Amino acid sequence: MAKPFVSHDGADEQGVRAEVWVQVGNGTVTKIENQDDDTKRNVMVVIRSDNSKVSRPITAWLAKSDPTYPAVVEALASGREIQYRVESQRKPTVDRTTPIADLRVDMATAGANTVSIFAGIDGTLGQEAVTDPAEDPGPGGRLRASDRGAARAGAQQPQRSEAAPTALGVEAALSGLTTARQAGLPSGVVDAAAALALAAGATARQVADAGFTGQSTAPRGEPRRAFAHEAAPHLPLNSDQRVNLGSYAVQAAFSAENVAHDVLVEAEQRAFEAHNAAVAAGELDGEPLPHPRPVAPAQATGLAGVLLVLADRVQVGAYGGGRPDRMANSHTRARSLVYDAVRTRHPVPFGVEAAERGAWMAAVVGEGVERFRALAALSQQVPDVPAPTGGDDGDGTGGDGTGGGGTGGGAGEGAGRSRAQGPEVPAARAEGSAGFVAPTQQAMQRYRDLALAAGFPATPDSPALTFLRVKFGVGVVRQVHGGTLESLLTWFEGQRQPGEAFRSYVESTIAAAQHGTRGEQRPGVSREHREPREPRGTREEAAPVQAPAAHEDGPGTAGAAAGPSSTAGEDGAKGADGGNRAKGADGGNRAKGADGGNRAKGEDGAHAA
């Protein structure tokens, strides 16, 4: 088996030839998966290479209708050795200018961006082969492309003329050059268009000016903007049909990449610790690694694509059909189910075969669909609520808008109605304590970016740092527990105006602390219900909560405003159950309940529902 090499497919309409990863060599066909399944149009060819250094079998897809398929079947039956050619081609949706090496950095990235094709057997190319064997590297370096090489099965090689005259006129050639320059195509494409224009008879001055000055003397209309303004986030495209970079679909990709990066960092950390432990125990020769291997952006992007595909399938499966819509709130909830699954019960399998990877994806999707449908059904199970009982005196009744346990009016009323909406985060672990995990560099940078978006200066007296002291009792962001910081960031980044939401929350938290109240208390949430009472000495550290499922809803909307692990569930600041209402139908926030006295927690307390 020769060393794998990079070749190229044919040029597209922009003149770009995409890179293709090619493997050639000798081996034996050991299996043809789906061969006897008449419902399958493609088979998986499994080859054992004759090179002893290739420990894993080589697998590639082949259509049953391909002219080379009978030869492959015959090779399996006879057990004879064959000459194979396998191409790792990029999927149609992948950018053709991306180097093929960036698409194959790991198994997950390769699976999301490329497909392995059985391209030829014994010198005969299949119908899905895209490279030319005449361009394969040989002794003395790469060979010039020519019509020599293996014959393509089922097709005849066209004869090239020595000098094919071009029918391209000067105007058409200059128009193509203008389009190439104004569209920002690669320099190689622009140079090729310029050469075509010169060959068609254009002057050097015309070629130099094409794309920069008008090629027609016809009167032009009023100049317009080169690009349209960014559309609203609920629109996938801008008015000029470019992708809206501020859309919910783009936000979905960003959130998927964040999760993918964290998953890969944890995997590299485990590999780092396992390697060093093996070296220390004498089980592995070599030196211990100084630090975990850094995660490349292309790796995170590749895994993010896999996570989005899983969320697509969960969304469609929950509905029972249709097409995925990454702009919809249902996709947000599907993503949260997928993220939870891959972080806990179904960790991402690295370095496994296609069958095992497919089983993992099926498990994640199956669980996600089941949970989605169960939660949707649960949302419709609304029990009858008993009629409220009236209070025995008017002091501090539910009608005055006070928070739980407050007196009737004054500061309690203001705190109960005007506090900014925000997330509730788990109890912070102290740096150095058991269970503390330092935040990642990426998370700390995201916090700084959020503070800048809120308009807070990068100074020692910044409200963003004051907030950390008030909220978590720490002076710098690196002292915040990683899971706690991630929950906080994910909630605010999911808001329509993250900076505005964060500024309001920080200011209200600091103001509440200055007035002697708890900054993390959301409007109308009583202190008793903010942290459930437990016997002393038995309370365990709260685990980091998951990011909220509905991060794209604005503050106060049903199903989103409560933030992660909200006490009131998904009913927002004014939910249907009245638990958070300043004027609750059940009298839930009364300072003096029906049984008299200033009860801190009555039988029908702030969150009885």
Side-chain angles (χ1 to χ4, degrees), residues 217-545:
T217 58
R220 295 178 178 269
E222 291 295 323
R224 62 181 295 275
R225 291 181 181 272
F227 298 111
H229 290 294
E230 183 175 296
H234 64 275
L235 299 175
L237 302 175
N238 296 328
S239 60
D240 59 1
Q241 299 307 300
R242 291 180 304 134
V243 173
N244 178 10
L245 301 183
S247 69
Y248 297 139
V250 173
Q251 172 63 27
F254 270 70
S255 69
E257 188 192 44
N258 285 336
V259 173
H261 182 272
D262 291 344
V263 168
L264 290 168
V265 167
E266 293 173 0
E268 293 293 353
Q269 180 66 31
R270 291 193 299 269
F272 163 75
E273 294 173 353
H275 174 87
N276 287 357
V279 171
E283 300 172 356
L284 186 66
D285 295 334
E287 297 294 328
L289 299 175
H291 52 73
R293 187 177 63 174
V295 175
Q299 291 178 278
T301 302
L303 181 55
V306 176
L307 297 180
L308 287 176
V309 169
L310 291 172
D312 292 342
R313 297 181 183 178
V314 170
Q315 181 192 39
V316 172
Y319 271 120
R323 294 180 57 83
D325 182 4
R326 295 177 180 176
M327 298 285 290
N329 279 335
S330 59
H331 198 278
T332 305
R333 287 153 176 77
R335 292 197 303 274
S336 73
L337 296 173
V338 170
Y339 298 163
D340 176 61
V342 301
R343 282 168 165 162
T344 54
R345 296 169 298 281
H346 302 287
V348 179
F350 295 102
V352 299
E353 298 295 336
E356 186 174 348
R357 185 171 63 251
W360 166 74
M361 295 181 71
V364 173
V365 172
E367 178 190 281
V369 171
E370 182 179 356
R371 290 182 63 190
F372 208 142
R373 290 178 175 176
L375 292 172
L378 180 62
S379 70
Q380 304 304 306
Q381 299 173 10
V382 181
D384 294 333
V385 179
T389 58
D392 57 354
D393 53 35
D395 184 20
T397 60
D400 65 2
T402 59
T407 57
E413 181 176 0
R417 282 204 291 251
S418 63
R419 186 70 49 75
Q421 194 74 26
E424 286 196 3
V425 295
R429 296 179 174 88
E431 184 179 19
S433 65
F436 177 82
V437 177
T440 63
Q441 290 291 335
Q442 184 189 44
M444 291 190 288
Q445 185 59 49
R446 286 162 58 199
Y447 183 80
R448 298 186 191 102
D449 293 342
L450 183 61
L452 290 176
F456 297 143
T459 58
D461 60 346
S462 170
L465 297 180
T466 304
F467 168 75
L468 294 179
R469 288 191 290 272
V470 171
K471 186 75 174 176
F472 305 114
V474 298
V476 290
V477 68
R478 68 171 179 270
Q479 295 175 332
V480 181
H481 177 61
T484 300
L485 182 62
E486 181 63 30
S487 297
L488 185 80
L489 292 171
T490 301
W491 193 87
F492 281 108
E493 288 169 352
Q495 303 306 302
R496 294 188 177 181
Q497 295 181 320
E500 179 70 21
F502 185 60
R503 185 178 72 252
S504 298
Y505 184 62
V506 167
E507 291 174 349
S508 68
T509 300
I510 295 174
Q514 292 172 347
H515 285 85
T517 60
R518 293 290 297 273
E520 69 271 19
Q521 181 177 350
R522 294 196 304 103
V525 180
S526 68
R527 301 186 183 188
E528 290 77 12
H529 288 274
R530 189 171 59 252
E531 296 182 359
R533 293 181 175 176
E534 298 177 9
R536 256 180 222 214
T538 62
R539 180 168 180 172
E540 297 178 353
E541 290 291 330
V545 297

